[in-house]
Amino acid sequence: MPTLFRPASLYFLASYLLISSLPFFPLLQGQSVEKPLHLLAMELVTWLGFWALLQRPRWFHYLLLPAFFAVPIEIYLRLYFGQGISTHHLGIMVETSPKEAMEFLGNKVWLLLLLVILVSAWWWSLLRIAKTYSHWHWAHRSRWLVLLVFALGLGCWHYGEQIGIAPASASATSGSAASASTAEEDEEEEETSTSTSSSASTNASASADTLTSWQVSLKKHLPALPRWARIPYDEETYMRTWPFGLVLRGNDFWIERDYLAKLSEKSRAFRFQAHLDGNPATPQTIIMVIGESSRFDRWSLNGYERDTNPLLKKESNLVSFSDVVTAVSATRLSVPIIVSRKPAAQSLKAGFSEKSFLTAFKEAGFKTYWLSNQMSFGQFDTPTSVFAKEADVTQFLNLGGFTNNSNLDQVLLEPMANAMRDAAPKKLIVLHTLGNHWNYSHRHPQSFDQWKPSLYGIVNPAYTDLKNKQALNNSYDNSILYTDWMLSEVIQKLKTSSQITSLFYISDHGQTLYDGTCNLAFHGHNTQYEFHVPAFMWYSDAYQEQFPDKIVQLRLHQKAKLSTENVFHSLLDMANIRYPDEKLEWSILSKQLKAHTRYVDSYGWTNYDNATLKGDCREIMDKKTPLVQEK
């Protein structure tokens, strides 16, 4: 026993405790930790099983080498972004090229090198102790008892997963009714939070729905696992453990990459056969801005009484469209319609057989950029990343996800300026913004906190509390005010360029904000507030001189009935890119523009222009029978 209290042993134990305590780092920042006892119990039990299985610390210390190098990253992310390593962060680390990493680090590369040396020395010093001191070796026969208990526990867990667990008693079921309503309230925050489990669980559950014949047979002949014997394993909680949760996070990342590859495979061989109708040496830059959660009627540019667009309204070369709808009020489903020719009625299906406008621009000789302040991997992000990867340069710049510590959209300005300075004569730059996504008060700096009371400075506001209705709406308007500044900054940079420049902006969907007597907020509620989105085009004087006929048509179609399905065709027409099966009847800049049926995801595919608005929520209700949706 005295050997355990030697300095070397205490150093060894303290190092392992430090690594294991990382999930509780938020406590040092005055924040709470979700399910702390469950988290602690999972770590203790896993350490016990890990030690019993490998017996000698020297063996599992080798396996922990990646975790030691991940410690500084985990601490950095928790200090500055309020979260630990996630699937998204792993994606950034794996897919960032050495050149991009060097540019990002700059003079800090020497600090990184020093950190690598220190962590290596730390790990190596612990390995020496593990080799030297034998009192850490588990040679007692109790080790076999622990392994037996673990085997039984694993067997029970697997049995419950395959056969099922007996339902709770009637009294327990009624007692959980209240928590069900709470779960429904939290549903909206699934997209807001940066969940480390991402879509792995979604994909897994999808495959689990298709049971094999032997599983069906077993479920018929074997009883369900008694509820008292179920293992209280929670994957989302276990993923937050250290260092063992890193394995699940890594596995989640590879599952997501595989899913991304499968989606990409659908369109791998596709070509538009696009070409530029014009001089390829004429310098031209087109910027496409994809907004987030922005509402048409909260822009003063569109008639809102508050002056939320004081800068954009000064732009005489800006045309704001008055009647544009998105088919789906969810980013992962709406963005593919914006960037490709994917029909609205196919938006619920995963993947698409064609590529996006990025590939068409590349075929026509443009250098393409996708600069994003959103996430790269996850249930809500991977479908967008499939298209983003088509760009010549792809950068995901948001380490904070949708949390309160996420970057402001101005983080995109410098990379955009760098892209504009590229020597390539023709450039398409896509900016995917966080825009007006919840939490609204964390989408802008304090200088834009104009309308009060607001939620600015409140870490976790009770968004379901109607007492916060005014503050929530004020914060939303403040985020629009910041979006106005951000877009104006982009336009000013285009104005200073000697190239032919233009910009197209559209939001992926809108928001419901406790309007009138409506007790709904955020999105996913089939309301007009979520389908009617802001969109505009800005053009330089040089662009107007080059394409005067397009500008005439643009202004003629300002009040046309449009949808996100028009964007792909309009963007290619804006650049004067032609391809064999082009459809100019979908382009806002073409005299061939024709109206089309605008379907929205409301109780099936509802014809937006043949629908009524229900109540203060303005739910879209088809006057006939909505089309059946294919998923």
Side-chain angles (χ1 to χ4, degrees), residues 580-602:
D581 58 340
E582 68 180 358
K583 294 179 173 58
L584 290 176
E585 62 269 24
W586 288 80
S587 170
I588 305 168
L589 294 93
S590 172
K591 62 182 179 181
Q592 299 180 36
L593 178 69
K594 295 179 181 179
H596 63 280
T597 304
R598 300 188 294 175
Y599 289 111
V600 295
D601 178 22
S602 183

PDB file of all heavy atoms in Angstrom, residues 580-602:
ATOM      1  N   PRO A 580     -26.676  21.653 -72.218  1.00  0.00           N
ATOM      2  CA  PRO A 580     -27.635  21.085 -73.176  1.00  0.00           C
ATOM      3  C   PRO A 580     -29.097  21.091 -72.742  1.00  0.00           C
ATOM      4  O   PRO A 580     -29.970  21.453 -73.529  1.00  0.00           O
ATOM      5  CB  PRO A 580     -27.120  19.643 -73.362  1.00  0.00           C
ATOM      6  CG  PRO A 580     -25.664  19.746 -73.090  1.00  0.00           C
ATOM      7  CD  PRO A 580     -25.521  20.765 -72.003  1.00  0.00           C
ATOM      8  N   ASP A 581     -29.403  20.687 -71.523  1.00  0.00           N
ATOM      9  CA  ASP A 581     -30.809  20.584 -71.114  1.00  0.00           C
ATOM     10  C   ASP A 581     -31.202  21.693 -70.137  1.00  0.00           C
ATOM     11  O   ASP A 581     -31.985  21.477 -69.218  1.00  0.00           O
ATOM     12  CB  ASP A 581     -31.098  19.220 -70.494  1.00  0.00           C
ATOM     13  CG  ASP A 581     -30.216  18.921 -69.289  1.00  0.00           C
ATOM     14  OD1 ASP A 581     -29.162  19.578 -69.167  1.00  0.00           O
ATOM     15  OD2 ASP A 581     -30.579  18.051 -68.475  1.00  0.00           O
ATOM     16  N   GLU A 582     -30.653  22.899 -70.345  1.00  0.00           N
ATOM     17  CA  GLU A 582     -30.977  24.011 -69.457  1.00  0.00           C
ATOM     18  C   GLU A 582     -32.469  24.357 -69.549  1.00  0.00           C
ATOM     19  O   GLU A 582     -33.124  24.128 -70.570  1.00  0.00           O
ATOM     20  CB  GLU A 582     -30.130  25.234 -69.800  1.00  0.00           C
ATOM     21  CG  GLU A 582     -30.445  25.855 -71.144  1.00  0.00           C
ATOM     22  CD  GLU A 582     -29.576  27.079 -71.431  1.00  0.00           C
ATOM     23  OE1 GLU A 582     -28.772  27.437 -70.557  1.00  0.00           O
ATOM     24  OE2 GLU A 582     -29.702  27.655 -72.522  1.00  0.00           O
ATOM     25  N   LYS A 583     -32.977  24.930 -68.468  1.00  0.00           N
ATOM     26  CA  LYS A 583     -34.389  25.291 -68.404  1.00  0.00           C
ATOM     27  C   LYS A 583     -34.491  26.771 -68.028  1.00  0.00           C
ATOM     28  O   LYS A 583     -34.650  27.121 -66.858  1.00  0.00           O
ATOM     29  CB  LYS A 583     -35.121  24.403 -67.395  1.00  0.00           C
ATOM     30  CG  LYS A 583     -35.191  22.937 -67.809  1.00  0.00           C
ATOM     31  CD  LYS A 583     -35.905  22.098 -66.766  1.00  0.00           C
ATOM     32  CE  LYS A 583     -36.128  20.674 -67.273  1.00  0.00           C
ATOM     33  NZ  LYS A 583     -34.891  20.000 -67.647  1.00  0.00           N
ATOM     34  N   LEU A 584     -34.396  27.631 -69.016  1.00  0.00           N
ATOM     35  CA  LEU A 584     -34.442  29.066 -68.779  1.00  0.00           C
ATOM     36  C   LEU A 584     -35.820  29.521 -68.303  1.00  0.00           C
ATOM     37  O   LEU A 584     -35.954  30.628 -67.782  1.00  0.00           O
ATOM     38  CB  LEU A 584     -34.050  29.819 -70.049  1.00  0.00           C
ATOM     39  CG  LEU A 584     -32.566  29.715 -70.441  1.00  0.00           C
ATOM     40  CD1 LEU A 584     -32.309  30.410 -71.773  1.00  0.00           C
ATOM     41  CD2 LEU A 584     -31.682  30.319 -69.351  1.00  0.00           C
ATOM     42  N   GLU A 585     -36.827  28.668 -68.453  1.00  0.00           N
ATOM     43  CA  GLU A 585     -38.145  29.027 -67.938  1.00  0.00           C
ATOM     44  C   GLU A 585     -38.179  29.029 -66.404  1.00  0.00           C
ATOM     45  O   GLU A 585     -39.165  29.457 -65.799  1.00  0.00           O
ATOM     46  CB  GLU A 585     -39.219  28.071 -68.480  1.00  0.00           C
ATOM     47  CG  GLU A 585     -39.058  26.621 -68.089  1.00  0.00           C
ATOM     48  CD  GLU A 585     -38.233  25.814 -69.085  1.00  0.00           C
ATOM     49  OE1 GLU A 585     -37.427  26.428 -69.819  1.00  0.00           O
ATOM     50  OE2 GLU A 585     -38.410  24.584 -69.131  1.00  0.00           O
ATOM     51  N   TRP A 586     -37.046  28.603 -65.785  1.00  0.00           N
ATOM     52  CA  TRP A 586     -36.921  28.632 -64.327  1.00  0.00           C
ATOM     53  C   TRP A 586     -35.994  29.760 -63.865  1.00  0.00           C
ATOM     54  O   TRP A 586     -35.804  29.951 -62.666  1.00  0.00           O
ATOM     55  CB  TRP A 586     -36.364  27.297 -63.811  1.00  0.00           C
ATOM     56  CG  TRP A 586     -37.352  26.170 -63.897  1.00  0.00           C
ATOM     57  CD1 TRP A 586     -37.672  25.443 -64.994  1.00  0.00           C
ATOM     58  CD2 TRP A 586     -38.157  25.651 -62.835  1.00  0.00           C
ATOM     59  NE1 TRP A 586     -38.618  24.481 -64.692  1.00  0.00           N
ATOM     60  CE2 TRP A 586     -38.928  24.585 -63.369  1.00  0.00           C
ATOM     61  CE3 TRP A 586     -38.289  25.949 -61.480  1.00  0.00           C
ATOM     62  CZ2 TRP A 586     -39.831  23.844 -62.612  1.00  0.00           C
ATOM     63  CZ3 TRP A 586     -39.187  25.204 -60.720  1.00  0.00           C
ATOM     64  CH2 TRP A 586     -39.943  24.177 -61.264  1.00  0.00           C
ATOM     65  N   SER A 587     -35.427  30.514 -64.806  1.00  0.00           N
ATOM     66  CA  SER A 587     -34.473  31.565 -64.446  1.00  0.00           C
ATOM     67  C   SER A 587     -35.156  32.913 -64.267  1.00  0.00           C
ATOM     68  O   SER A 587     -35.915  33.368 -65.131  1.00  0.00           O
ATOM     69  CB  SER A 587     -33.390  31.692 -65.521  1.00  0.00           C
ATOM     70  OG  SER A 587     -32.600  32.854 -65.299  1.00  0.00           O
ATOM     71  N   ILE A 588     -34.861  33.568 -63.155  1.00  0.00           N
ATOM     72  CA  ILE A 588     -35.427  34.880 -62.843  1.00  0.00           C
ATOM     73  C   ILE A 588     -34.894  35.942 -63.805  1.00  0.00           C
ATOM     74  O   ILE A 588     -35.514  36.978 -64.006  1.00  0.00           O
ATOM     75  CB  ILE A 588     -35.079  35.267 -61.386  1.00  0.00           C
ATOM     76  CG1 ILE A 588     -35.544  34.171 -60.427  1.00  0.00           C
ATOM     77  CG2 ILE A 588     -35.699  36.590 -60.993  1.00  0.00           C
ATOM     78  CD1 ILE A 588     -35.009  34.320 -59.014  1.00  0.00           C
ATOM     79  N   LEU A 589     -33.750  35.683 -64.431  1.00  0.00           N
ATOM     80  CA  LEU A 589     -33.131  36.669 -65.318  1.00  0.00           C
ATOM     81  C   LEU A 589     -33.472  36.444 -66.785  1.00  0.00           C
ATOM     82  O   LEU A 589     -32.898  37.090 -67.666  1.00  0.00           O
ATOM     83  CB  LEU A 589     -31.605  36.647 -65.143  1.00  0.00           C
ATOM     84  CG  LEU A 589     -31.085  37.114 -63.784  1.00  0.00           C
ATOM     85  CD1 LEU A 589     -30.903  35.951 -62.842  1.00  0.00           C
ATOM     86  CD2 LEU A 589     -29.775  37.860 -63.948  1.00  0.00           C
ATOM     87  N   SER A 590     -34.389  35.522 -67.049  1.00  0.00           N
ATOM     88  CA  SER A 590     -34.717  35.176 -68.429  1.00  0.00           C
ATOM     89  C   SER A 590     -36.142  35.606 -68.781  1.00  0.00           C
ATOM     90  O   SER A 590     -37.056  35.495 -67.955  1.00  0.00           O
ATOM     91  CB  SER A 590     -34.568  33.667 -68.645  1.00  0.00           C
ATOM     92  OG  SER A 590     -35.050  33.287 -69.918  1.00  0.00           O
ATOM     93  N   LYS A 591     -36.319  36.047 -70.022  1.00  0.00           N
ATOM     94  CA  LYS A 591     -37.662  36.401 -70.486  1.00  0.00           C
ATOM     95  C   LYS A 591     -38.532  35.159 -70.673  1.00  0.00           C
ATOM     96  O   LYS A 591     -39.742  35.270 -70.871  1.00  0.00           O
ATOM     97  CB  LYS A 591     -37.573  37.182 -71.793  1.00  0.00           C
ATOM     98  CG  LYS A 591     -36.954  36.425 -72.956  1.00  0.00           C
ATOM     99  CD  LYS A 591     -36.881  37.308 -74.193  1.00  0.00           C
ATOM    100  CE  LYS A 591     -36.248  36.561 -75.368  1.00  0.00           C
ATOM    101  NZ  LYS A 591     -36.157  37.422 -76.572  1.00  0.00           N
ATOM    102  N   GLN A 592     -37.912  33.982 -70.610  1.00  0.00           N
ATOM    103  CA  GLN A 592     -38.654  32.733 -70.755  1.00  0.00           C
ATOM    104  C   GLN A 592     -39.254  32.245 -69.432  1.00  0.00           C
ATOM    105  O   GLN A 592     -39.912  31.212 -69.401  1.00  0.00           O
ATOM    106  CB  GLN A 592     -37.731  31.645 -71.322  1.00  0.00           C
ATOM    107  CG  GLN A 592     -37.161  31.953 -72.691  1.00  0.00           C
ATOM    108  CD  GLN A 592     -36.264  30.838 -73.208  1.00  0.00           C
ATOM    109  OE1 GLN A 592     -36.527  29.654 -72.965  1.00  0.00           O
ATOM    110  NE2 GLN A 592     -35.199  31.201 -73.918  1.00  0.00           N
ATOM    111  N   LEU A 593     -39.028  32.976 -68.335  1.00  0.00           N
ATOM    112  CA  LEU A 593     -39.520  32.551 -67.014  1.00  0.00           C
ATOM    113  C   LEU A 593     -41.016  32.260 -67.041  1.00  0.00           C
ATOM    114  O   LEU A 593     -41.815  33.051 -67.549  1.00  0.00           O
ATOM    115  CB  LEU A 593     -39.224  33.623 -65.971  1.00  0.00           C
ATOM    116  CG  LEU A 593     -39.741  33.325 -64.543  1.00  0.00           C
ATOM    117  CD1 LEU A 593     -38.947  32.181 -63.919  1.00  0.00           C
ATOM    118  CD2 LEU A 593     -39.672  34.569 -63.673  1.00  0.00           C
ATOM    119  N   LYS A 594     -41.375  31.118 -66.466  1.00  0.00           N
ATOM    120  CA  LYS A 594     -42.787  30.729 -66.357  1.00  0.00           C
ATOM    121  C   LYS A 594     -43.092  30.336 -64.903  1.00  0.00           C
ATOM    122  O   LYS A 594     -42.215  29.894 -64.172  1.00  0.00           O
ATOM    123  CB  LYS A 594     -43.092  29.543 -67.289  1.00  0.00           C
ATOM    124  CG  LYS A 594     -42.961  29.853 -68.763  1.00  0.00           C
ATOM    125  CD  LYS A 594     -43.268  28.604 -69.587  1.00  0.00           C
ATOM    126  CE  LYS A 594     -43.107  28.890 -71.090  1.00  0.00           C
ATOM    127  NZ  LYS A 594     -43.375  27.670 -71.907  1.00  0.00           N
ATOM    128  N   ALA A 595     -44.348  30.492 -64.534  1.00  0.00           N
ATOM    129  CA  ALA A 595     -44.766  30.088 -63.193  1.00  0.00           C
ATOM    130  C   ALA A 595     -44.809  28.559 -63.112  1.00  0.00           C
ATOM    131  O   ALA A 595     -45.060  27.876 -64.112  1.00  0.00           O
ATOM    132  CB  ALA A 595     -46.141  30.672 -62.886  1.00  0.00           C
ATOM    133  N   HIS A 596     -44.545  28.025 -61.936  1.00  0.00           N
ATOM    134  CA  HIS A 596     -44.612  26.586 -61.730  1.00  0.00           C
ATOM    135  C   HIS A 596     -45.322  26.312 -60.410  1.00  0.00           C
ATOM    136  O   HIS A 596     -45.459  27.202 -59.561  1.00  0.00           O
ATOM    137  CB  HIS A 596     -43.213  25.970 -61.717  1.00  0.00           C
ATOM    138  CG  HIS A 596     -42.347  26.451 -60.595  1.00  0.00           C
ATOM    139  ND1 HIS A 596     -41.677  27.661 -60.638  1.00  0.00           N
ATOM    140  CD2 HIS A 596     -42.049  25.909 -59.382  1.00  0.00           C
ATOM    141  CE1 HIS A 596     -40.997  27.824 -59.523  1.00  0.00           C
ATOM    142  NE2 HIS A 596     -41.203  26.786 -58.747  1.00  0.00           N
ATOM    143  N   THR A 597     -45.780  25.110 -60.240  1.00  0.00           N
ATOM    144  CA  THR A 597     -46.459  24.741 -58.997  1.00  0.00           C
ATOM    145  C   THR A 597     -45.456  24.746 -57.856  1.00  0.00           C
ATOM    146  O   THR A 597     -44.414  24.098 -57.937  1.00  0.00           O
ATOM    147  CB  THR A 597     -47.105  23.346 -59.105  1.00  0.00           C
ATOM    148  OG1 THR A 597     -47.998  23.337 -60.220  1.00  0.00           O
ATOM    149  CG2 THR A 597     -47.887  23.022 -57.838  1.00  0.00           C
ATOM    150  N   ARG A 598     -45.791  25.468 -56.810  1.00  0.00           N
ATOM    151  CA  ARG A 598     -44.881  25.589 -55.664  1.00  0.00           C
ATOM    152  C   ARG A 598     -45.378  24.698 -54.533  1.00  0.00           C
ATOM    153  O   ARG A 598     -46.325  25.035 -53.819  1.00  0.00           O
ATOM    154  CB  ARG A 598     -44.779  27.046 -55.219  1.00  0.00           C
ATOM    155  CG  ARG A 598     -44.257  27.962 -56.311  1.00  0.00           C
ATOM    156  CD  ARG A 598     -43.968  29.356 -55.801  1.00  0.00           C
ATOM    157  NE  ARG A 598     -45.160  30.075 -55.382  1.00  0.00           N
ATOM    158  CZ  ARG A 598     -45.142  31.277 -54.804  1.00  0.00           C
ATOM    159  NH1 ARG A 598     -43.986  31.886 -54.573  1.00  0.00           N
ATOM    160  NH2 ARG A 598     -46.272  31.883 -54.467  1.00  0.00           N
ATOM    161  N   TYR A 599     -44.727  23.542 -54.384  1.00  0.00           N
ATOM    162  CA  TYR A 599     -45.115  22.602 -53.341  1.00  0.00           C
ATOM    163  C   TYR A 599     -44.342  22.896 -52.056  1.00  0.00           C
ATOM    164  O   TYR A 599     -43.148  23.205 -52.083  1.00  0.00           O
ATOM    165  CB  TYR A 599     -44.831  21.160 -53.773  1.00  0.00           C
ATOM    166  CG  TYR A 599     -45.763  20.655 -54.848  1.00  0.00           C
ATOM    167  CD1 TYR A 599     -45.298  20.402 -56.143  1.00  0.00           C
ATOM    168  CD2 TYR A 599     -47.112  20.441 -54.579  1.00  0.00           C
ATOM    169  CE1 TYR A 599     -46.150  19.938 -57.132  1.00  0.00           C
ATOM    170  CE2 TYR A 599     -47.976  19.975 -55.557  1.00  0.00           C
ATOM    171  CZ  TYR A 599     -47.488  19.733 -56.839  1.00  0.00           C
ATOM    172  OH  TYR A 599     -48.344  19.278 -57.820  1.00  0.00           O
ATOM    173  N   VAL A 600     -45.052  22.791 -50.924  1.00  0.00           N
ATOM    174  CA  VAL A 600     -44.412  22.927 -49.625  1.00  0.00           C
ATOM    175  C   VAL A 600     -44.791  21.731 -48.751  1.00  0.00           C
ATOM    176  O   VAL A 600     -45.854  21.135 -48.929  1.00  0.00           O
ATOM    177  CB  VAL A 600     -44.809  24.249 -48.917  1.00  0.00           C
ATOM    178  CG1 VAL A 600     -44.303  25.442 -49.692  1.00  0.00           C
ATOM    179  CG2 VAL A 600     -46.324  24.334 -48.714  1.00  0.00           C
ATOM    180  N   ASP A 601     -43.915  21.421 -47.842  1.00  0.00           N
ATOM    181  CA  ASP A 601     -44.082  20.247 -46.978  1.00  0.00           C
ATOM    182  C   ASP A 601     -45.050  20.568 -45.833  1.00  0.00           C
ATOM    183  O   ASP A 601     -44.639  20.931 -44.732  1.00  0.00           O
ATOM    184  CB  ASP A 601     -42.712  19.832 -46.426  1.00  0.00           C
ATOM    185  CG  ASP A 601     -42.796  18.655 -45.478  1.00  0.00           C
ATOM    186  OD1 ASP A 601     -43.783  17.912 -45.553  1.00  0.00           O
ATOM    187  OD2 ASP A 601     -41.871  18.491 -44.654  1.00  0.00           O
ATOM    188  N   SER A 602     -46.338  20.428 -46.098  1.00  0.00           N
ATOM    189  CA  SER A 602     -47.358  20.694 -45.087  1.00  0.00           C
ATOM    190  C   SER A 602     -48.452  19.641 -45.192  1.00  0.00           C
ATOM    191  O   SER A 602     -49.314  19.711 -46.073  1.00  0.00           O
ATOM    192  CB  SER A 602     -47.948  22.101 -45.276  1.00  0.00           C
ATOM    193  OG  SER A 602     -48.890  22.395 -44.268  1.00  0.00           O
TER     194      SER A 602
END
